[in-house]
Amino acid sequence: MHASAVQSITIKVSEVDSALLNDADELQKLLRNVTELAGLHRLESVMHQFSPQGISAALLLSESHIAIHTWPESGVAYIAMTTCKMLDDDKLRQIKELIARLLGAKNIIMKEMAL
């Protein structure tokens, strides 16, 4: 695989319900929905539930990866996605809106960098 360009997207969501940030099934569903919306292709998934709370989950993609790390006690999650398929501003806006809706986030910040 030869990547002429790589896009890295980092999203911080805050003021999210702590129970949702500790729900492995919902977070895996979120990652799958973002992947599908972006037109990316899932290969494998991994997830770890921390004790007493918090989750790290990731999908390995044909185009790279997407991961989420949660801190339910703070109502915060970080999502990181790297892809060799460049996503335009409209697609990034749609992804941001999807994440905000699925997590019920009151605050969401997205940063994008093309390398």
Side-chain angles (χ1 to χ4, degrees), residues 27-104:
L27 296 175
Q28 287 280 7
K29 183 174 147 186
L30 169 78
L31 294 179
R32 288 191 308 268
N33 286 342
V34 170
T35 298
E36 183 178 306
L37 176 61
L40 305 174
H41 304 90
R42 288 182 290 141
L43 298 175
E44 300 287 337
S45 66
V46 64
M47 189 274 307
H48 180 79
Q49 181 113 32
F50 292 93
S51 180
Q53 59 192 354
I55 292 175
S56 286
L59 295 180
L60 180 63
L61 309 172
S62 294
E63 302 83 1
S64 197
H65 69 275
I66 182 171
I68 187 168
H69 307 282
T70 72
W71 289 266
E73 67 277 15
S74 303
V76 172
Y78 287 90
I79 300 167
M81 181 167 62
T82 300
T83 176
C84 59
K85 176 185 177 185
M86 300 302 285
L87 304 175
D88 63 25
D89 289 343
D90 186 53
K91 188 60 69 180
L92 292 174
R93 180 190 51 75
Q94 291 174 30
I95 289 169
K96 183 177 178 181
E97 289 172 358
L98 175 68
I99 292 169
R101 182 172 45 82
L102 292 178
L103 291 180

